[in-house]
Amino acid sequence: MERILNLLKKPAIQYSLVIAFLALVGGAGWAFYQTQVPPPQPIQFPHNIHVGLQIQCLYCHPGAQRQASAGLPTEQKCWACHGQLKKYSDPANPVPLEKWPPELQKLAGYVQRGEAIKWVPVYIVPDFVHFNHRPHIAAGLNCEKCHGDMSKKTVATIEQTVNMGWCLACHQARTANDPVKRTKLIECGTCHY
Ligand code: HEC
Ligand code: HEC
Ligand code: HEC
Ligand code: HEC
Ligand code: HEC
């Protein structure tokens, strides 16, 4: 793969290939999509409830603003709230654990065992693609644009086929009046290096 990608850094080869690849992307994208059916999660985490409570995306996914990966919350971050929610843990009137909703019992189990929750990835790009959240958030794109309306979901699901055509279509649309930036954003080496 690396040798092919090095060869592809030659501009003349790139132009003819862009066309060929865009034609292929439909098919490749479908194969890729099939690996992206939402997987079962260890805890059926309800985004809708938490987003409805006005908890910010960046509170649980702080990396999105400053680095490549957005990050997923640890059981400790969940417990910072859930260990104290009055509804269940009021010191004067605690609700016994076996009366908690089942998904919260699971959470308490992870915390008691000191075991990390192994969230299963949903959005994935292959290793030979470099996606970085930071420039996207800095350019003013909101999470919803790529991940859909999380206030209507429990666990995350894939909103659209995450393939090269999707990346390039937006990069082209967003640089209509800026040819220099466009060249940079559709250059193979911007995403493959
Ligand atoms: C331009 C499209 C785009 C935007 C905008 C975007 N994301 Fe993502 N997000 C992606 C892609 C693509 C991946 C897969 C990345 C990978 O596999 O390396 C991803 C992965 C993730 C993941 C899981 C993997 C990780 O990075 O830890 C989380 C969580 C996430 N995004 C949250 C957010 C949040 C929160 C925001 C808003 C602050 C946001 N994203 C904005 C495209 C986007
Ligand atoms: C900032 C505080 C906060 C954080 C952080 C938080 N939650 Fe919650 N969560 C709440 C509140 C408040 C509710 C609503 C409680 C209720 O009314 O029963 C809730 C509800 C839930 C429910 C639904 C319970 C039911 O009634 O069925 C689950 C499951 C849950 N949270 C799991 C988690 C997990 C897992 C994490 C970590 C990834 C987490 N929460 C992080 C505050 C938080
Ligand atoms: C209270 C914590 C919390 C909040 C607030 C929260 N999330 Fe999440 N998010 C999670 C957890 C836990 C997961 C892992 C389970 C899953 O995939 O749904 C997750 C998963 C995701 C994923 C899929 C990650 C992957 O593996 O590819 C995306 C995308 C995402 N969240 C976006 C958002 C956006 C956008 C918001 C704000 C509108 C948001 N989240 C708010 C806790 C949170
Ligand atoms: C919805 C629009 C949109 C989508 C989808 C999108 N991007 Fe972007 N991307 C942008 C914008 C806007 C910028 C910032 C341009 C600027 O510098 O102003 C950017 C910048 C980047 C950069 C940084 C370039 C640099 O060095 O400055 C990389 C790398 C990148 N995107 C990769 C990807 C990949 C990989 C995907 C698909 C998985 C993707 N993008 C999907 C809009 C998008
Ligand atoms: C904006 C980011 C971006 C740019 C620019 C980009 N690619 Fe990609 N490329 C991706 C993503 C994301 C994938 C993985 C998803 C897929 O297979 O469509 C990918 C996949 C590929 C693959 C593997 C296809 C397969 O069947 O799995 C090849 C080969 C490739 N790109 C070549 C190129 C070439 C040649 C260029 C320059 C003309 C280029 N890419 C420019 C994002 C980009």
Side-chain angles (χ1 to χ4, degrees):
M1 179 56 75
E2 204 161 305
R3 248 178 62 209
I4 299 176
L5 289 175
N6 276 337
L7 181 70
L8 293 174
K9 282 175 189 147
K10 298 203 168 80
I13 298 187
Q14 288 181 11
Y15 275 109
S16 46
L17 283 178
V18 176
I19 317 250
F21 274 118
L22 284 178
L24 263 176
V25 159
W30 172 244
F32 188 57
Y33 179 75
Q34 299 220 295
T35 67
Q36 297 188 344
V37 173
Q41 297 290 346
I43 295 177
Q44 198 61 21
F45 171 78
H47 272 92
N48 50 2
I49 294 180
H50 296 85
V51 175
L53 288 163
Q54 311 289 327
I55 306 171
Q56 298 301 305
C57 311
L58 289 173
Y59 180 78
C60 290
H61 306 296
Q65 203 166 30
R66 48 174 197 251
Q67 62 191 40
S69 111
L72 292 169
T74 62
E75 74 287 356
Q76 293 302 332
K77 182 158 250 175
C78 311
W79 202 244
C81 280
H82 281 280
Q84 299 185 21
L85 284 191
K86 216 157 182 201
K87 185 165 171 187
Y88 306 108
S89 304
D90 185 352
N93 192 14
V95 178
L97 196 55
E98 59 274 14
K99 299 240 173 79
W100 287 28
E103 298 306 300
L104 289 179
Q105 289 186 34
K106 284 195 214 164
L107 172 61
Y110 279 98
V111 174
Q112 280 163 5
R113 294 189 300 275
E115 182 188 340
I117 307 172
K118 292 196 183 64
W119 301 114
V120 184
V122 181
Y123 283 81
I124 307 167
V125 295
D127 282 349
F128 57 87
V129 179
H130 291 266
F131 177 81
N132 187 337
H133 275 90
R134 192 163 60 97
H136 294 93
I137 305 308
L141 293 173
N142 58 19
C143 317
E144 192 172 359
K145 183 99 192 152
C146 299
H147 294 303
D149 185 355
M150 298 302 293
S151 72
K152 298 204 168 67
K153 298 184 191 178
T154 57
V155 292
T157 54
I158 287 279
E159 278 300 303
Q160 70 275 296
T161 314
V162 179
N163 62 21
M164 189 161 115
W166 177 62
C167 313
L168 289 176
C170 181
H171 283 189
Q172 278 174 323
R174 299 275 304 199
T175 52
N177 304 317
D178 190 340
V180 177
K181 197 175 266 185
R182 166 171 291 191
T183 307
K184 166 84 178 141
L185 283 187
I186 63 177
E187 204 171 60
C188 315
T190 296
C191 302
H192 302 293
Y193 55 89

